[in-house]
Amino acid sequence: MKSDNIKKGLERAPHRSLLKAVGLTDEEMSLPFIGVVNSWNEIIPGHIHLDKLSEAVKAGIRMSGGVPFEFNTIGVCDGIAMGHNGMKNSLPSREIIADSIELMVEAHQFDGMVMIPTCDKIVPGHLMAAGRLDIPTIVVTGGPMMPGIVADEPRDVISLFEAVGARQNGKITDRELKNLEDCSCCGAGSCAGLFTANTMACVTEALGLSLPGCGTAHAVDAKKVRIAKHSGMKIIELVEKGITARSIVTEKSLDNAIRIDMAIGGSTNTALHLPAIALEYGLTLPLIRFDEISKETPHLINLRPGGDRFLMDFERAGGVPAIQERLRSKLFMDTLTVTGKNIDENLKDYIIINPRANKEIIASLDSPVHAEGGIAVLVGSLAPDGSVIKQTAVSRQMLKHSGPARVFESEEQAMAAIMAKKIKSGDCLVIRYEGPKGGPGMREMLSPTAAIAGMGLIDSVALITDGRFSGGTRGPCIGHVSPEAAQGGPIALVREGDIIEIDIPGGILNLKISTEELDKRRKAWKPPAPKVTKGYLARYQKLVGPADKGAVIL
C-alpha cells in the first residue's frame, strides 16, 4: 500500500507516533488510508451539507476496513461572485483546488480518496487532481437544490437574475421581485437547473467516477447519503483491486461523457473543463470533438435554462442511467466505472422506478427534443480557434443572425448599457478583454445575459465574448472566443457598427470586414496593460493558456 511509506518499518516510528497523536491505533496501521476530500464551507448553498455526506463516506470506509482522513478544499460560489470583480477568482480557483489536493495526497501518501465536491469549478478541480494523482478515487457530488415555489411555479436562481431585467423594464413589481428573492433558492444543493454544477455532476457519473445515480440524487434526499456510504465502502475494493482514476477515464469514457452532456443539453463550461481534465489524465481533447459528437447525438431532455424541466424531473425519470440506456447504441458500453463493472453491467442492475416519468420526460432517439446535441462550436474570422454556444437554448429565429457590433471593454460597461436601455433589437453585443488572460479569470456573464432576457430581447440580441457564460444562460450567447482580445485575437479588432455574422447550423462566426482592413487594424493594435499586478491573479494571468485548450496553467 502507498501509505506504507508513512507507517511501516523501524524508521517510521516517528511518523506512527504522530498518527497516534490524532487517535490512530496499532490495529489501524495495517489498514488502507483513505483521503476524504471535502469542499464543505458555510457560504456556498451547494456545500453547506457536505459535512453530513462526509460523515456517511467515513462510515462506509470504516465498515469496509479502511481508515478515513478528512481534509478540505476551497470553493467559490459562482452565483454570489457573479457580476462583479469577485467572478475573476472563480475559474482560477479550479487550479488552486487541484494543486492543493495534489499536495495533501502526495504529502500524506493516501492509498485512495473519496472526493466530495458540488459546484462549478470545484468539481472540475477535484477531477483534475484525480487524474494527476492516479490513485483509486470515487467522487460523491453533493446534489442539486430543490426548486423553490413562487406564485405556484417552480423557480431557481436564474429566475432572480432575469427578474432584475424584468423589474428594470417595469414588467414586475418590487413585491414580486422580493418574493422571488425570498423563495427561489430554498436550501442546500447546487442550483436547481442543468447549469454548470449539475452538468459537471452528470458528466462525472458519465465518466464512470461516481456510483450510478449520484449525479441527479438531490442534496436533501436520503438517497444521497446512501450513495455516500456505498462510495466509502466501494473505495476499499478499488484499492484492493488497484483500479485507479486513469483506469476509468480514457478516450472512450471522455467520448461517453461528452455524448451524455450533448444529450442532456449541458453547460458550455464543459467545453472548458473537460479538455483541462483530459490533460491531467494524459489525454488530448480538442474543442472540435464537442461539435463532432454533438452533430451525431440527439438532445433528449429539455431542462432549465433551455427548457422548463428541473433536475428533480431528470431524477424522477431515472437520471444519467436512463440517458445511458437511451443512448446504448451510441456509447462505449465496455468502459470501466467505479463500481468495478462496465456501463453495460451497471445498466443490467438498473431499474426504472418511475416508468411514466421516464417516457414523458426523456425523449426517444426517434423523436428527440432537437436533432443535435446541446453545444455547437463556431469558427470563423472572429473566432479562428473556435467559440462555443448552447445551441439548444437558442430560439429558431436566432440560429442565423447578422447585426451591428456594440463593443464593450468589460462586463460592467455592457451591463450599464443594458440597464440604461441602450441596446436595441438586432444588436450584437461584443464584450471583450474578459478572457483567461484579459479578465483575468474569464468571468461568466450571467448578469448581462439574464438582464437581456428579462427585458424581452433574448430572441433579438446576440452576445459574444472571450469570457464565459453561466450554465444558466439561454439565448444566442457565444463565449470562449479564441484567440482572446488580450492576445490580439480578432475580437480585439472589432469596431462599433461592424457587421457580425452568426450561423449556428453552419458553425460560423464571422466579422464582416475585408482581410486588408483586419490586417490594418491588427498592425495598429497594442496590448493593454495588465488589469492586476499583484497576488494570485497576477501569476495566473501570466501562466494561463487559451480557452480552446481548457484555460489551464501551462
Side-chain angles (χ1 to χ4, degrees):
M1 288 188 294
K2 187 175 182 179
S3 60
D4 288 350
N5 292 328
I6 64 169
K7 64 187 183 184
K8 286 290 179 72
L10 174 65
E11 68 277 14
R12 295 295 182 254
H15 304 66
R16 290 192 295 273
S17 182
L18 289 168
L19 289 167
K20 288 179 179 180
V22 300
L24 262 66
T25 65
D26 286 329
E27 293 80 2
E28 287 174 303
M29 295 293 179
S30 63
L31 302 177
F33 282 10
I34 307 297
V36 178
V37 189
N38 193 354
S39 58
W40 172 86
N41 62 48
E42 293 185 331
I43 192 166
I44 307 177
H47 293 92
I48 57 173
H49 63 303
L50 297 188
D51 53 339
K52 306 298 188 299
L53 289 186
S54 175
E55 291 302 319
V57 166
K58 290 186 286 188
I61 292 168
R62 293 187 182 105
M63 281 192 284
S64 289
V67 184
F69 295 88
E70 182 178 1
F71 65 90
N72 287 84
T73 74
I74 63 168
V76 171
C77 177
D78 277 21
I80 296 172
M82 196 74 66
H84 54 84
N85 273 338
M87 178 50 75
K88 293 182 178 183
N89 300 277
S90 177
L91 180 60
S93 75
R94 185 187 72 180
E95 318 305 309
I96 292 284
I97 290 165
D99 290 350
S100 66
I101 295 170
E102 176 193 2
L103 293 172
M104 284 293 290
V105 171
E106 285 296 319
H108 301 104
Q109 297 289 287
F110 294 125
D111 299 303
M113 57 185 172
V114 179
M115 306 179 121
I116 314 175
T118 302
C119 291
D120 296 35
K121 310 308 168 302
I122 298 96
V123 173
H126 282 235
L127 297 183
M128 289 166 69
R132 191 182 302 174
L133 292 161
D134 193 30
I135 62 174
T137 301
I138 297 179
V139 182
V140 182
T141 49
M145 184 187 296
M146 295 293 291
I149 304 297
V150 183
D152 293 326
E153 295 289 338
R155 304 291 184 181
D156 56 36
V157 69
I158 305 305
S159 305
L160 262 300
F161 277 99
E162 294 189 357
V164 171
R167 180 67 195 94
Q168 180 70 9
N169 215 27
K171 292 185 176 182
I172 63 173
T173 66
D174 286 338
R175 169 46 61 188
E176 288 171 319
L177 180 61
K178 183 66 162 58
N179 287 343
L180 286 166
E181 178 184 324
D182 288 348
C183 302
S184 292
C185 300
C186 62
S190 47
C191 301
L194 190 65
F195 316 137
T196 303
N198 291 323
T199 300
M200 286 306 306
C202 293
V203 163
T204 301
E205 184 179 336
L207 280 170
L209 287 173
S210 291
L211 292 181
C214 184
T216 58
H218 277 51
V220 296
D221 193 338
K223 175 182 176 181
K224 182 65 77 175
V225 177
R226 295 194 296 271
I227 287 172
K229 283 185 183 177
H230 284 138
S231 297
M233 296 167 69
K234 181 63 69 172
I235 192 63
I236 303 303
E237 178 185 329
L238 298 190
V239 170
E240 291 170 349
K241 292 181 176 179
I243 298 175
T244 68
R246 289 193 179 196
S247 305
I248 292 168
V249 177
T250 63
E251 287 185 354
K252 286 184 176 181
S253 62
L254 280 167
D255 270 11
N256 283 346
I258 295 171
R259 201 170 298 280
I260 295 297
D261 183 20
M262 297 305 106
I264 63 178
S267 165
T268 53
N269 281 311
T270 56
L272 190 71
H273 297 316
L274 278 174
I277 291 164
L279 192 64
E280 298 290 358
Y281 289 80
L283 304 168
T284 300
L285 180 58
L287 182 61
I288 197 64
R289 189 67 184 131
F290 288 84
D291 202 59
E292 293 168 348
I293 293 176
S294 184
K295 278 182 165 48
E296 59 185 33
T297 306
H299 178 213
L300 298 178
I301 182 167
N302 212 13
L303 298 168
R304 293 270 291 163
D308 57 2
R309 299 283 191 179
F310 290 78
L311 259 290
M312 190 69 249
D313 298 300
F314 190 17
E315 167 70 359
R316 287 194 299 117
V320 171
I323 295 288
Q324 289 173 323
E325 187 64 53
R326 290 286 203 283
L327 292 174
R328 178 181 283 272
S329 63
K330 294 178 176 290
L331 296 173
F332 295 105
M333 299 297 290
D334 59 346
T335 55
L336 185 64
T337 74
V338 291
T339 64
K341 303 175 182 179
N342 63 34
I343 296 174
D344 187 51
E345 291 169 321
N346 287 344
L347 290 181
K348 287 177 182 176
D349 299 329
Y350 169 62
I351 299 172
I352 300 174
I353 298 173
N354 301 309
R356 189 177 71 182
N358 176 273
K359 185 176 181 180
E360 291 176 354
I361 293 169
I362 302 177
S364 66
L365 295 183
D366 294 333
S367 184
V369 180
H370 296 98
E372 294 186 5
I375 291 175
V377 176
L378 310 184
V379 180
S381 59
L382 186 54
D385 294 337
S387 61
V388 296
I389 186 168
K390 184 187 275 195
Q391 62 178 346
T392 50
V394 180
S395 62
R396 184 174 296 276
Q397 63 264 38
M398 289 298 288
L399 291 175
K400 292 186 178 182
H401 177 75
S402 290
R406 302 294 309 280
V407 182
F408 302 96
E409 309 301 324
S410 69
E411 178 185 1
E412 287 83 359
Q413 284 187 11
M415 189 64 180
I418 294 167
M419 297 303 282
K421 302 181 182 179
K422 294 181 179 179
I423 304 304
K424 307 300 179 186
S425 178
D427 285 347
C428 291
L429 271 72
V430 175
I431 308 174
R432 61 192 182 191
Y433 295 104
E434 291 286 7
K437 286 184 178 294
M442 203 179 182
R443 287 191 287 180
E444 288 185 347
M445 306 287 176
L446 180 56
S447 292
T449 62
I452 286 285
M455 289 183 165
L457 295 171
I458 200 67
D459 292 331
S460 61
V461 170
L463 290 92
I464 301 159
T465 183
D466 54 5
R468 301 180 293 125
F469 290 116
S470 163
T473 293
R474 60 188 178 96
C477 301
I478 301 166
H480 307 200
V481 171
S482 297
E484 62 172 295
Q487 292 187 305
I491 192 171
L493 311 177
V494 181
R495 292 181 182 173
E496 191 83 7
D498 286 346
I499 299 300
I500 292 174
E501 176 195 14
I502 300 166
D503 181 353
I504 297 171
I508 293 170
L509 180 63
N510 279 332
L511 177 61
K512 303 292 286 182
I513 62 173
S514 68
T515 302
E516 292 76 15
E517 176 62 21
L518 195 63
D519 288 342
K520 179 181 176 182
R521 294 182 190 182
R522 184 175 287 113
K523 290 175 182 177
W525 177 81
K526 294 181 180 180
K531 292 180 183 176
V532 293
T533 57
K534 62 180 181 180
Y536 174 60
L537 285 182
R539 297 196 300 275
Y540 179 87
Q541 188 172 38
K542 291 177 183 177
L543 298 172
V544 69
D548 63 290
K549 292 180 172 58
V552 296
I553 288 182
L554 303 175

